[in-house]
Each structure stands twice: as structure tokens, then as C-alpha cells.
């Protein structure tokens, strides 16, 4: 099993450009998440999907959109990138969104917006 | 909403000594407290967790304690080794149909040889 995979690993964008970060999991998990990690600020939840067909906002959703394409895949889209979106993005999945379920993280995407 | 504070932000200990990282949370309804370890350039991985119905949990050199009254919990690493060098994150969540884990800001632990 590959676990949680993300593409791309690195990306450089210019201000105003758009892009989609892809995430897939092969653990048959119901819930998936997108986080951003900035120095000194830990992991902050952008959006999550409790189950296929549902998505909800997290702590910092502004400037992002998500799509739960199917049970395996959860994508994050930046419509008009800004320098403040320079960060490392992690996708994660868990069996359930209920408390107590371990989250498994992908390898991350390092995004730089110039 | 829930707020998780973590201290210290950096910690340096001599190899073989113990390390303690502390976290406080604000929502008294939180009932699940995981700890994640992130090595340099790698993804976060769960190392230990505790639920609110127990006060302490151990796994070899790692232990977590929980004080529900004071709303704080701690990670204890004994007999530290070089491979313990990493960033450690505490987190808190509660039972609900839309539960979200809130992470602390992280502690960078360095083990001096």
C-alpha cells in the first residue's frame, strides 16, 4: 500500500496563477483533510471531507477550494495564488472524522508563490 | 473554538537525558489528545495518543500524561537518543460528527551528543 500520496512535491507559481494539488489514499478511509504548515504555526486545517460527497471549511479556507472526486481522491485548488499562500501543504486521511481516529499524512507539497 | 498552546518552541537536551513538552487546551469537551512527530523534511506521524478517560499512557521510552482539571497534557521522552531529534506536535479533538483536530505550534527537539 502506498498510503497517502500527493502531487506535485514542489511547485513555484507567480502571483495570480492557479493550480491544483492532488491527493489520493489507498487505505479505504472515509475522511480526508488538507493542512498548511508554516514555520512556528503548526498545522492549520484548510478544508476537510468527512465522507465522499461532503466538504467543510477548516480554520483557514480563504483563497482555496476543494473537490472530493471520489472516496480515494481529494484535491485542493488555488484559483489566484498569493505570496501569503507560500507554505508546505499536507493531505491526510483517517478512517473516520470522529475523534480518536489516527490521521495518516502524505509527503507534502512545498509551494512557493512569487 | 478549541485553542491548543504548546511549550517550549525549542528544546535541547543531552543524549540520555529526559525531555518534556507541555500543552494546554481550552475546550473542556476535548477528549482525544494525540502527539505527532515530524522528522526534518518528512511527514508528521502519530507516536502516541491518550483519551480523556485515562491519566497516563506509556509506550517504551515515551509517555503522555493528562490533567483534565487543569486542561493540560505532556509528552515525556526518557533516555533520549539522536533519532528523537524532530518537531513534535500536540493536538486535541472532541467527539462530534464534525470533529476536527487542532494542533499546537510544535516543539523542535534537538538531542546533543
Amino acid at each position: 500500500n502506498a498510503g497517502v500520496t500527493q502531487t506535485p512535491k514542489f511547485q513555484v507559481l507567480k502571483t495570480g496563477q492557479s493550480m491544483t494539488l492532488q491527493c489520493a489514499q489507498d487505505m479505504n478511509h472515509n475522511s480526508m483533510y488538507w493542512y498548511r504548515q508554516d514555520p512556528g504555526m503548526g498545522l492549520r486545517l484548510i478544508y476537510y471531507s468527512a465522507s465522499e460527497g461532503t466538504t467543510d471549511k477548516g480554520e483557514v479556507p480563504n483563497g482555496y477550494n476543494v473537490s472530493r472526486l471520489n472516496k480515494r481522491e481529494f484535491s485542493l485548488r488555488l484559483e489566484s495564488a498569493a505570496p501569503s499562500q507560500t507554505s508546505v501543504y499536507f493531505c491526510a486521511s483517517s478512517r473516520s472524522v470522529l475523534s480518536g481516529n489516527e490521521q495518516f499524512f502524505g509527503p507534502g507539497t512545498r509551494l512557493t508563490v512569487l | 473554538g478549541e485553542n491548543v498552546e504548546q511549550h517550549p518552541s525549542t528544546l535541547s537536551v543531552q543524549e540520555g537525558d529526559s525531555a518534556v513538552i507541555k500543552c494546554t487546551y481550552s475546550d473542556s469537551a476535548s477528549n482525544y489528545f494525540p502527539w505527532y512527530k515530524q522528522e526534518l523534511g518528512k511527514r508528521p506521524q502519530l507516536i502516541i495518543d491518550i483519551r480523556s478517560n485515562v491519566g497516563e499512557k506509556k509506550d517504551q521510552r515515551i509517555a503522555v500524561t493528562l490533567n483534565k482539571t487543569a486542561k493540560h497534557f505532556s509528552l515525556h521522552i526518557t533516555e533520549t537518543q539522536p533519532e528523537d531529534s524532530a518537531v513534535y506536535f500536540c493536538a486535541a479533538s472532541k467527539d462530534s460528527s464534525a470533529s476536527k483536530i487542532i494542533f499546537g505550534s510544535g516543539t523542535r527537539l534537538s538531542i546533543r551528543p
Side-chain angles (χ1 to χ4, degrees):
Chain A
N1 289 349
V4 181
T5 57
Q6 291 181 236
T7 56
K9 292 186 177 179
F10 302 94
Q11 184 71 48
V12 179
L13 294 177
K14 294 181 180 178
T15 296
Q17 288 185 317
S18 62
M19 80 160 295
T20 300
L21 281 63
Q22 305 287 353
C23 174
Q25 51 91 11
D26 62 2
M27 294 177 283
N28 199 34
H29 283 168
N30 291 304
S31 304
M32 299 184 73
Y33 314 80
W34 276 105
Y35 292 91
R36 60 177 289 172
Q37 183 176 35
D38 302 297
M41 300 193 72
L43 293 154
R44 291 184 293 169
L45 184 64
I46 304 171
Y47 271 94
Y48 69 101
S49 171
S51 60
E52 186 178 356
T54 69
T55 60
D56 283 288
K57 296 179 180 179
E59 298 172 81
V60 289
N62 291 345
Y64 305 95
N65 284 301
V66 291
S67 295
R68 184 75 182 267
L69 304 170
N70 47 56
K71 190 171 185 178
R72 290 187 65 249
E73 298 172 291
F74 188 39
S75 63
L76 178 72
R77 182 160 178 85
L78 286 70
E79 290 291 352
S80 179
S84 60
Q85 295 178 305
T86 293
S87 189
V88 179
Y89 291 85
F90 286 98
C91 177
S93 71
S94 65
R95 198 163 43 195
S96 164
V97 76
L98 293 177
S99 177
N101 282 274
E102 178 181 356
Q103 293 195 9
F104 294 84
F105 286 83
T109 295
R110 186 174 294 276
L111 175 67
T112 302
V113 183
L114 303 175
Chain B
E2 175 66 279
N3 182 47
V4 178
E5 294 191 357
Q6 182 171 349
H7 300 281
S9 57
T10 61
L11 179 61
S12 178
V13 301
Q14 194 77 32
E15 183 177 349
D17 288 350
S18 296
V20 180
I21 302 170
K22 299 181 179 182
C23 290
T24 60
Y25 60 99
S26 60
D27 190 342
S28 57
S30 290
N31 62 355
Y32 175 65
F33 307 94
W35 286 88
Y36 284 79
K37 175 183 180 182
Q38 185 179 28
E39 297 177 1
L40 188 62
K42 302 286 183 64
R43 70 192 77 187
Q45 291 187 297
L46 181 72
I47 54 171
I48 194 167
D49 56 14
I50 191 167
R51 298 177 188 274
S52 59
N53 57 347
V54 298
E56 184 176 5
K57 183 177 179 180
K58 288 184 179 180
D59 183 3
Q60 299 183 341
R61 297 185 297 108
I62 294 174
V64 58
T65 58
L66 172 65
N67 183 327
K68 285 194 298 182
T69 303
K71 290 190 283 188
H72 66 69
F73 56 112
S74 301
L75 179 71
H76 304 254
I77 306 175
T78 59
E79 300 173 10
T80 53
Q81 300 171 4
E83 55 264 35
D84 295 328
S85 293
V87 177
Y88 292 82
F89 294 98
C90 64
S93 70
K94 61 185 178 183
D95 281 328
S96 77
S97 61
S99 178
K100 292 168 283 188
I101 287 182
I102 302 298
F103 286 86
S105 55
T107 296
R108 183 173 298 279
L109 175 63
S110 300
I111 307 301
R112 302 191 304 271

